Amino acid sequence: MFIGHYGIAYIVKKKACDIPLWLLFASVQLLDIIAFTLVLLGIEKASYTPSVNPFFRNYLNLPYSHSLIGALLISAIVFFIFRAMKKSSWAWILGLCVLSHWVIDLIVHTPDLSIFFGSAKVGLGLWHYPILTFIIEIAFVLAGWLLLKKNIYSYLLLVLMVGAFTGMVFAEEPPIFREHYILRTSIVLIANLLFIFIACLWDRKNQKG
């Protein structure tokens, strides 16, 4: 799943209003942020592959960041960091938000997610139905977005998320992106970091007023 993870963050924010939205955004996307970083370092692999299905245009080999054991370890690290900061309630919520990424990915991915660092591949394959996947992701984000207080940054987030995701699904990818996995990965990483930054601005705006 791509932007759908942020729907989880919005929903959790409604229930745990003391946790900053940007931190929830970072938590639900932490596995991807780690994956993009590992791809740029050459440790994991992500590259373009031709397909009429936009969700199959990514060849993914993410044995560390997107294995179940890896997700559990990363979740545990987040949990213990916030536990050490005397944020016990945050620790549980943020740790589970990190783990939610793998659980949701299990629904959409074909069997390219591993249980243990590259072995025992799983995936329920919702991506085989691209239009249905697109509708579900948009609906999930919109449903979560509607729960929260609106300001200029919330509207900006919605426009950027939906616009970027729609472009990814329906637009033809430029050849320069197909041929250079570093550029391709960097753009996706920057987009996610931008969403987190705008969420931080949303938090600050709400605190002021």
Side-chain angles (χ1 to χ4, degrees):
M1 190 167 280
F2 294 86
I3 64 170
H5 295 291
Y6 293 112
I8 290 286
Y10 281 130
I11 293 167
V12 173
K13 175 63 178 174
K14 180 66 175 179
K15 297 294 184 179
C17 56
D18 57 324
I19 303 179
L21 182 63
W22 74 265
L23 197 51
L24 292 168
F25 270 27
S27 297
V28 297
Q29 280 294 78
L30 184 58
L31 298 189
D32 272 356
I33 291 170
I34 292 172
F36 301 144
T37 304
L38 293 179
V39 168
L40 293 175
L41 293 173
I43 298 171
E44 295 190 326
K45 304 295 182 184
S47 59
Y48 176 86
T49 183
S51 176
V52 295
N53 185 326
F55 296 104
F56 293 158
R57 291 175 190 157
N58 295 293
Y59 166 74
L60 300 172
N61 184 16
L62 311 173
Y64 306 112
S65 64
H66 280 64
S67 69
L68 176 57
I69 298 301
L72 287 169
L73 288 173
I74 295 166
S75 301
I77 290 170
V78 169
F79 171 83
F80 285 115
I81 287 173
F82 283 92
R83 189 71 178 270
M85 295 169 61
K86 310 299 183 184
K87 297 280 190 180
S88 295
S89 62
W90 289 26
W92 283 106
I93 292 169
L94 295 174
L96 289 172
C97 280
V98 172
L99 187 59
S100 76
H101 186 105
W102 193 91
V103 174
I104 293 175
D105 273 5
L106 176 66
I107 298 170
V108 297
H109 277 243
T110 53
D112 59 6
L113 297 173
S114 66
I115 299 298
F116 186 81
F117 300 135
S119 64
K121 299 291 184 70
V122 293
L124 300 179
L126 183 61
W127 280 346
H128 283 293
Y129 310 96
I131 298 302
L132 178 60
T133 302
F134 175 81
I135 292 170
I136 289 173
E137 289 217 37
I138 295 292
F140 205 42
V141 169
L142 184 59
W145 180 85
L146 288 170
L147 294 173
L148 299 188
K149 182 178 178 181
K150 305 299 180 289
N151 60 41
I152 186 172
Y153 299 113
S154 62
Y155 289 105
L156 181 59
L157 274 171
L158 185 66
V159 169
L160 290 177
M161 284 181 186
V162 173
F165 185 56
T166 302
M168 189 209 82
V169 172
F170 294 106
E172 190 67 26
E173 196 164 336
I176 190 171
F177 293 160
R178 301 179 199 170
E179 297 162 6
H180 298 88
Y181 80 91
I182 292 179
L183 177 60
R184 196 167 185 261
T185 303
S186 297
I187 287 175
V188 181
L189 175 59
I190 290 169
N192 281 278
L193 295 177
L194 177 61
F195 297 154
I196 293 169
F197 175 70
I198 297 172
C200 183
L201 297 178
W202 181 91
D203 287 318
R204 293 180 61 184
K205 180 76 171 175
N206 279 347
Q207 289 172 357
K208 291 179 180 179

